Amino acid sequence: MMKARQQRGRTHTSLPSLITLIAIVSPLASAVPSLTDDSKCECYLTNGTQASFFATHKFLDFRNLAEHAGVPPTITKPNDSGSAPVTSEYFTSKEWTEAFWVLSWNNSHQIREDATVLMVNSPNNVYIEANGDRNPSSQTWLTLRTQRLKDFQTASEIESVAPGFQYLSVRMLARTVGSPGAITALFTYHDADRLADVQESDLEVRTMDPRNTIQYTNQPSYTEEGEEIDHATKNVTLPPGHPDWTHWAVHRLDWTPKETVWYVDGTEVATISFQTPRDPSKVILNAWSDGGEWSGNMTVDDAAYLQIQWLEIVYNATNENPAKRKRDGGGVAAVMLRERDEDGEGGCDVVCSIDETPEPGKPVMLWNNGAMRMVGGELVAWIPSLVTFGMLALIPGGLW
């Protein structure tokens, strides 16, 4: 959603030598990854088109919060809606307040010029809801609500406490339900005074669209003069066999230095390299409408909801200490092959994954070079890294 709003080296590896190397070390590299916890992980390697390393992992689980569940009645007065308190003690807990806050701004300053309705973001519209599905897969979920009232649109938005994400992979098990005329979204956002300087990667569901259609964008998607920038946006019809946005699915956004890539249940559905964000950004989720052309105009009393069972992020951030920031998200080779400095910093010995795990929120350990070094020496210690590096070298463009 738009709000006003190295020199690279070449590594040449002969194919016979690479095959021999892989044959020798494959028993070491093919062991089933084991469940672990974040305290044992030095970095996280993602899969996909732009395999990248990230320094930090955060998981918010909304599936077992029955003690906080309850759907608050919609507040029908704009001022009361905007000033409402949070809906349960969960939103004052350390787990929540260290990650997100609930926003309460409104569009009375006409953030979007074509808005026809006053939109008020209310903490009252962010709540924990009991799972009422026929065959529930959880006790509860997090809901972000938007509803059209007689005099205004009540909406919801949450924003990361940390403003300095610089490359990340964010996923959510989520769905959108409700009436036409609303937007639900997950996006990164870097504000700027000029529209052309705004940086933003979007995943947006428009409830007026077909249910198998999702909009993906690297903003801005239009100019100050109102001209559309076509190559900034992909309006995607989901592949056959994938659930539409009214069904539970894992939606994923990977922001890397080269491009933004989006996935649904592990399948890549969109990639945009044009105006990929480059500067530190926030992570925002919302459900809204302002009666404008983009969102549509909701019928009075109708509502739409973004429902989320869990939210997971691996990321690099500008406020991390230097030992953490050594993993720069710039690609596999950039991290694996970086030499250690005199203090032993650099590189990444203990590599984990949130993609290979059978349990959301619980990483698995892919390899531990430090432990292997103590047992088998330097060469053995780096075998898994060499295998991965070599396999990537077989893929055109796999390293760079």
Side-chain angles (χ1 to χ4, degrees):
M1 178 201 59
M2 173 58 61
K3 298 193 288 189
R5 319 214 201 259
Q6 141 169 47
Q7 182 174 32
R8 302 187 307 196
R10 283 290 179 187
T11 299
H12 298 281
T13 305
S14 69
L15 184 57
S17 298
L18 180 59
I19 292 174
T20 300
L21 174 62
I22 294 174
I24 292 172
V25 304
S26 59
L28 290 170
S30 61
V32 176
S34 57
L35 283 170
T36 187
D37 60 71
D38 291 325
S39 66
K40 297 180 175 66
C41 299
E42 289 189 356
C43 63
Y44 303 84
L45 173 61
T46 58
N47 62 9
T49 302
Q50 285 290 328
S52 300
F53 281 84
F54 298 98
T56 308
H57 173 224
K58 185 175 292 290
F59 183 73
L60 292 175
D61 193 347
F62 311 117
R63 295 171 298 177
N64 298 288
L65 298 173
E67 68 273 25
H68 300 296
V71 179
T74 302
I75 298 174
T76 59
K77 295 182 178 180
N79 290 339
D80 293 346
S81 185
S83 62
V86 294
T87 56
S88 76
E89 291 183 355
Y90 174 75
F91 299 104
T92 62
S93 69
K94 183 176 180 180
E95 177 183 5
W96 177 262
T97 58
E98 286 187 347
F100 284 91
W101 48 39
V102 183
L103 302 185
S104 58
W105 61 275
N106 64 70
N107 70 344
S108 59
H109 297 295
Q110 289 295 310
I111 290 175
R112 295 179 62 92
E113 293 183 357
D114 68 338
T116 63
V117 177
L118 173 64
M119 181 187 71
V120 179
N121 284 291
S122 175
N124 188 64
N125 292 324
V126 180
Y127 51 88
I128 302 300
E129 183 172 358
N131 190 333
D133 291 349
R134 179 173 298 179
N135 297 301
S137 57
S138 68
Q139 292 182 10
T140 55
W141 59 63
L142 171 70
T143 294
L144 276 66
R145 174 176 63 191
T146 184
Q147 184 173 0
R148 178 63 190 272
L149 303 172
K150 180 177 180 294
D151 298 320
F152 72 107
Q153 181 89 26
T154 187
S156 53
E157 185 165 86
I158 62 174
E159 177 183 281
S160 63
V161 171
F165 293 107
Q166 195 160 24
Y167 310 121
L168 56 77
S169 178
V170 56
R171 303 96 185 280
M172 62 179 181
L173 176 59
R175 68 184 180 189
T176 295
V177 296
S179 303
I183 307 289
T184 65
L186 164 67
F187 57 102
T188 66
Y189 187 68
H190 178 86
D191 202 0
D193 294 332
R194 296 172 60 246
L195 174 62
D197 295 331
V198 170
Q199 299 171 54
E200 179 177 347
S201 286
D202 288 346
L203 182 167
E204 296 178 285
V205 169
R206 304 200 312 167
T207 59
M208 71 169 74
D209 286 343
R211 292 182 174 182
N212 63 342
T213 300
I214 300 178
Q215 187 95 12
Y216 303 102
T217 309
N218 277 346
Q219 298 282 7
S221 60
Y222 60 91
T223 67
E224 294 280 7
E225 293 73 31
E227 297 178 356
E228 293 186 2
I229 306 173
D230 292 336
H231 42 302
T233 297
K234 290 189 177 181
N235 191 14
V236 174
T237 299
L238 297 177
H242 285 271
D244 63 51
W245 41 258
T246 66
H247 292 80
W248 294 110
V250 177
H251 296 271
R252 170 178 166 184
L253 183 163
D254 281 15
W255 166 35
T256 75
K258 288 186 175 182
E259 58 194 9
T260 310
V261 188
W262 293 266
Y263 304 79
V264 175
D265 279 344
T267 297
E268 180 181 327
V269 292
T271 301
I272 301 176
S273 56
F274 174 71
Q275 57 189 27
T276 301
R278 60 194 179 276
D279 293 326
S281 300
K282 306 170 184 177
V283 172
I284 299 175
L285 299 93
N286 59 18
W288 64 280
S289 177
D290 62 6
E293 182 180 353
W294 175 243
S295 68
N297 199 337
M298 255 189 167
T299 300
V300 173
D301 294 329
D302 279 359
Y305 311 85
L306 173 59
Q307 300 170 338
I308 308 167
Q309 291 197 37
W310 52 257
L311 181 69
E312 186 165 29
I313 313 176
V314 286
Y315 61 91
N316 296 320
T318 57
N319 62 349
E320 289 167 340
N321 63 56
K324 278 284 190 181
R325 289 192 62 204
K326 64 196 177 193
R327 277 80 69 178
D328 62 2
V332 172
V335 175
M336 283 186 178
L337 305 183
R338 182 169 295 131
E339 295 181 357
R340 295 175 181 277
D341 60 26
E342 294 179 355
D343 297 324
E345 295 295 345
C348 182
D349 281 338
V350 187
V351 181
C352 295
S353 169
I354 63 170
D355 296 311
E356 306 302 325
T357 182
E359 183 179 339
K362 193 77 171 176
V364 294
M365 188 178 296
L366 297 180
W367 64 79
N368 184 340
N369 289 321
M372 293 182 69
R373 181 177 294 111
M374 291 185 290
V375 174
E378 193 72 23
L379 177 60
V380 175
W382 286 96
I383 280 175
S385 299
L386 290 172
V387 172
T388 306
F389 176 77
M391 294 175 71
L392 285 166
L394 291 175
I395 305 171
L399 291 176
W400 312 109

